[in-house]
Amino acid sequence: MHTLISAADLAALLVVGPAPHILDVRWKLGGPPGRAEFRRGHLPGAVYVDLDSELAGHGEPADGRHPLPAPVDLQAAARRWGLNDGDTVVVYDDLGNMSAARAWWLLRHAGVRDVRLLDGGLAAWRAAGLPVVAGEEPVPTGSVSLTLGALPVLDADAAAALAQDGVLLDARAAERYRGDIEPIDPRAGHIPGAVSAPTGGNLDAEGRFLPAAVLRARFEALGVRGQMAAGTHGAGFDVGVYCGSGVTAAHEAVALSLAGFTPALYPGSWSQWSNLPERPVATGDAPGDEPGHAPGGER
């Protein structure tokens, strides 16, 4: 299955069909919600998706800021978006797909086979001179059936072990990895043994993903290799990834997938880890630490 779709190819699909379902996942850390921006202008046929209320659950601080939603809640949301079994879905945002990647990962995890990111997002669509529409139209309710579990997931114990005897990438800005700053979560630093790999390093200057070969070279330089043996960490993946709350970690998962790797995502991420007093924290640089930051702040 394809992971990315260009603005030109999506525009052609909307003309000749079959038209995919398009989800607008505009969201920024700390708000405001993206629905107002959606109503001012969005891709034709797009449906707005609220990341905080539809792509995440809500619990105690020790669960993290954006834990995975309950399967029944995600299915109900997807039906509100009009999704049916077998649909092709295209997701986008206005920030290099940093938030849209969460929808991509969740829907893939829930068993939707054909989910694609609009490469370059809304900016690429507009740069191609393609139309946007205002307002918000009612959406016929869909009947999709979702079951979480299609993609590998790490809990805190598995993330801790992988950081010591495998490769666990930290997708946050390098200064947060080092512990220089921590504007959101209760403790500064990173999971001991994790390797810094800021998510912004996956994109070019136009907000498009770098070529697969370039991404692969980047991740290989950080220690990512071939698939681990079955049973090592639950098997079936090459590398783990986390961020602040599991949002931009999904973006890193996209980049790893494009590079030919199979990533496992730690949904609780730093927002969970730093709320668990028994978990150790490391600070400073580590081998593989890269400069850079995730555009618009890390989630």
Side-chain angles (χ1 to χ4, degrees):
M1 289 294 177
H2 298 288
T3 299
L4 303 177
I5 187 169
S6 69
D9 286 346
L10 177 55
L13 273 182
L14 293 179
V15 172
V16 303
H21 283 268
I22 303 175
L23 305 181
D24 184 310
V25 198
R26 275 180 271 186
W27 175 84
K28 291 180 175 63
L29 186 65
R35 188 178 293 274
E37 293 181 5
F38 170 85
R39 288 172 174 160
R40 283 193 288 270
H42 56 267
L43 270 64
V47 178
Y48 180 71
V49 174
D50 185 273
L51 188 148
D52 281 319
S53 65
E54 296 182 302
L55 300 182
H58 297 280
E60 298 299 318
D63 297 327
R65 280 183 281 114
H66 291 111
L68 299 186
V72 65
D73 293 336
L74 181 61
Q75 178 174 277
R79 289 179 176 181
R80 288 195 301 273
W81 308 331
L83 300 192
N84 297 297
D85 291 328
D87 283 345
T88 294
V89 182
V90 174
V91 295
Y92 75 93
D93 61 31
D94 60 352
L95 199 65
N97 283 316
M98 292 290 174
S99 54
R102 171 75 170 205
W104 176 90
W105 187 91
L106 263 179
L107 288 172
R108 287 279 182 93
H109 187 50
V112 181
R113 289 180 53 81
D114 192 3
V115 189
R116 311 182 195 187
L117 283 165
L118 174 58
D119 199 18
L122 183 59
W125 183 266
R126 284 176 164 153
L130 295 165
V132 296
V133 297
E136 189 166 6
E137 298 296 324
V139 181
T141 301
S143 60
V144 70
S145 296
L146 301 180
T147 303
L148 299 185
L151 299 180
V153 172
L154 304 173
D155 60 15
D157 287 338
L162 186 59
Q164 297 304 313
D165 52 17
V167 181
L168 180 67
L169 300 181
D170 185 319
R172 297 173 300 158
E175 58 267 27
R176 287 187 68 194
Y177 169 88
R178 292 191 301 266
D180 298 346
I181 61 169
E182 182 44 66
I184 308 166
D185 296 313
R187 291 191 286 168
H190 58 269
I191 296 174
V195 177
S196 179
T199 312
N202 299 326
L203 302 176
D204 66 17
E206 283 72 45
R208 294 180 174 86
F209 280 90
L210 296 170
V214 176
L215 290 171
R216 188 169 185 93
R218 179 196 187 205
F219 292 124
E220 286 181 340
L222 295 172
V224 184
R225 296 292 182 266
Q227 193 168 77
M228 297 172 185
T232 305
H233 296 288
F237 61 89
D238 309 314
V239 57
V241 61
Y242 75 97
C243 60
S245 67
V247 174
T248 51
H251 190 279
E252 193 106 296
V254 173
L256 285 158
S257 298
L258 291 170
F261 297 111
T262 300
L265 190 141
Y266 172 26
S269 285
W270 188 251
S271 60
Q272 179 183 56
W273 186 279
S274 62
N275 273 290
L276 300 174
E278 72 277 13
R279 296 289 177 181
V281 170
T283 57
D285 290 331
D289 184 47
E290 293 184 343
H293 62 280
E298 196 286 320
R299 294 86 166 160

